[in-house]
Amino acid sequence: MQLQLISFVLILTCMEYTDCQQQPSRHRQNKQIPGVSSGCQGGCLTCSDYNGCLSCKPRLFIFLERNGMRQIGVCLPSCPSGFYGTRSPDRNTCTKCRPECDSCFNKNLCMRCRAGYYLHLGKCQESCPESLVCSDTQRECVPKCPADCDACLINDTCTRCRPGLYLLLGKCHHVCPDQFEPNDKLMECSLQVHCAVGEWGEWSPCSRSGKTCGFKWGEETRTREVVQFPSAYGKPCPPIWEKKECVLKRRRCPGQGKGRKGERRAERRNRDNRRDKDSQGEGRRERKKDRERERGETGDREDSENRNKTEQRRRRGQNRDLVVSPEGGGPEQ
């Protein structure tokens, strides 16, 4: 409704402006008046030293500025805020708007109201009709917002939600819909951002402990970059690094062959030395056993000889006891 009124006023203004252009201004036909100068500056057609501009050049508006007890005329291309322009065949003047109007198009069409008044159908009112509510920010009568809205536009589109609710596409939500996540700072539902990664790179050379030789088994690795990091509720990133086992092509590193041969020789020498030591120990043990056997055999022979000698002495003693004299019963002489 307000846009239609503005369009109608613009059409009327254009018609008035066309009539003014067709009819010559009367101040051009005025004769020279004593005390009035025609060599003025700043868009004035006629002026005086005391009152400034008395008439303006075509298409300009004369505006009276108060300076103490007197008014000074100024010629302007458009009227300042709080005034509206009126065109006539005689001159174009700036007229003050109604007291409740902050700016207006004419005396009957207000464009913006002063504080404490609300615009409705081109008029500034202290209150709004029942179907509308007062908007202090816009100083207009606007439709009532939905229950969840704290502020809204004329078409019931929310611009700010009540505390605890999140705004999305002009509507207020207790919980954000799918694919959206709450933004507690802006109190809005923001679109979720999921992680995105690039393609895998090439596999690294097979190595182990930073070496590509000297071992039988090693590892190959490859990586990929994160193209888009996720938001707070977005899908996390998949692994960006992986590895797999591999067989090293060169099992011997340069300069390590002689050393390994030397180590093997040393191991063989150690085994041979241990074997020799073991053999020597066994030989000593065998010789010791032989000596012990020899000593045992020698002792047995001596014991046998001693036993034989003792047996012989015992037998000789028995023979002497058996030989007895016939007369005395003693031994035979």
Side-chain angles (χ1 to χ4, degrees), residues 73-84:
V74 181
C75 293
L76 303 173
S78 62
C79 295
S81 179
F83 294 82
Y84 65 93

Side-chain angles (χ1 to χ4, degrees), residues 3-13 105:
L3 295 175
Q4 293 177 355
L5 291 174
I6 294 173
S7 301
F8 178 71
V9 173
L10 289 173
I11 295 172
L12 292 178
T13 305
F105 194 81

Side-chain angles (χ1 to χ4, degrees), residues 69-322:
M69 297 300 295
R70 64 174 182 167
Q71 291 182 336
I72 300 176
V74 181
C75 293
L76 303 173
S78 62
C79 295
S81 179
F83 294 82
Y84 65 93
T86 301
R87 297 184 182 274
S88 66
D90 295 332
R91 62 177 182 173
N92 306 327
T93 59
C94 290
T95 306
K96 190 173 181 60
C97 298
R98 291 179 179 272
E100 65 273 14
C101 266
D102 195 13
S103 64
C104 59
F105 194 81
N106 55 40
K107 64 179 182 179
N108 296 320
L109 182 59
C110 189
M111 304 298 294
R112 180 174 175 81
C113 299
R114 295 187 183 275
Y117 291 87
Y118 305 96
L119 184 64
H120 179 59
L121 300 179
K123 304 291 183 180
C124 292
Q125 304 174 358
E126 294 182 358
S127 61
C128 295
E130 294 182 358
S131 59
L132 304 175
V133 293
C134 302
S135 173
D136 293 329
T137 56
Q138 302 179 21
R139 298 181 186 178
E140 296 180 5
C141 294
V142 297
K144 292 182 179 180
C145 295
D148 295 337
C149 286
D150 196 16
C152 60
L153 300 177
I154 298 176
N155 57 354
D156 295 340
T157 301
C158 292
T159 58
R160 186 175 65 251
C161 296
R162 295 189 182 278
L165 302 181
Y166 300 95
L167 181 65
L168 176 63
L169 302 176
K171 303 295 182 181
C172 295
H173 300 266
H174 292 272
V175 179
C176 292
D178 293 339
Q179 303 300 324
F180 291 88
E181 61 184 42
N183 188 327
D184 294 330
K185 185 177 180 180
L186 301 176
M187 295 307 295
E188 296 179 353
C189 292
S190 302
L191 186 65
Q192 287 183 357
V193 179
H194 304 299
C195 180
V197 294
E199 298 293 334
W200 284 107
E202 298 292 334
W203 287 101
S204 66
C206 187
S207 64
R208 180 177 177 182
S209 300
K211 297 181 179 180
T212 57
C213 60
F215 302 95
K216 181 179 180 180
W217 295 95
E219 292 180 349
E220 292 180 353
T221 60
R222 65 176 182 176
T223 59
R224 54 183 176 181
E225 295 183 354
V226 177
V227 179
Q228 176 66 59
F229 288 93
S231 59
Y233 293 84
K235 294 181 180 178
C237 294
I240 59 173
W241 178 86
E242 65 178 4
K243 65 178 181 179
K244 67 177 181 179
E245 287 188 348
C246 57
V247 179
L248 292 173
K249 295 181 179 179
R250 299 185 60 182
R251 298 185 180 181
R252 294 181 181 180
C253 294
Q256 292 183 350
K258 295 181 179 179
R260 289 186 176 276
K261 289 182 180 179
E263 291 178 359
R264 288 195 291 271
R265 292 196 191 98
E267 290 179 358
R268 285 196 297 270
R269 284 196 298 269
N270 292 333
R271 287 196 299 269
D272 295 340
N273 292 334
R274 287 194 298 270
R275 191 180 298 110
D276 293 341
K277 289 181 181 180
D278 294 340
S279 299
Q280 292 176 1
E282 290 179 359
R284 286 194 295 270
R285 286 192 294 273
E286 291 293 333
R287 287 193 294 272
K288 184 178 180 180
K289 290 179 180 179
D290 293 340
R291 286 193 298 270
E292 289 178 354
R293 284 195 299 271
E294 289 177 358
R295 284 196 297 269
E297 292 176 356
T298 304
D300 292 340
R301 286 195 298 272
E302 290 177 355
D303 293 340
S304 178
E305 291 177 357
N306 291 332
R307 283 193 301 272
N308 293 333
K309 291 177 179 179
T310 303
E311 184 66 25
Q312 290 176 3
R313 284 193 298 272
R314 187 180 62 79
R315 288 178 180 177
R316 283 196 297 270
Q318 289 178 354
N319 293 331
R320 283 194 298 269
D321 292 338
L322 294 175

Side-chain angles (χ1 to χ4, degrees), residues 324-333:
V324 180
S325 175
E327 297 179 356
E332 184 178 2
Q333 296 293 326

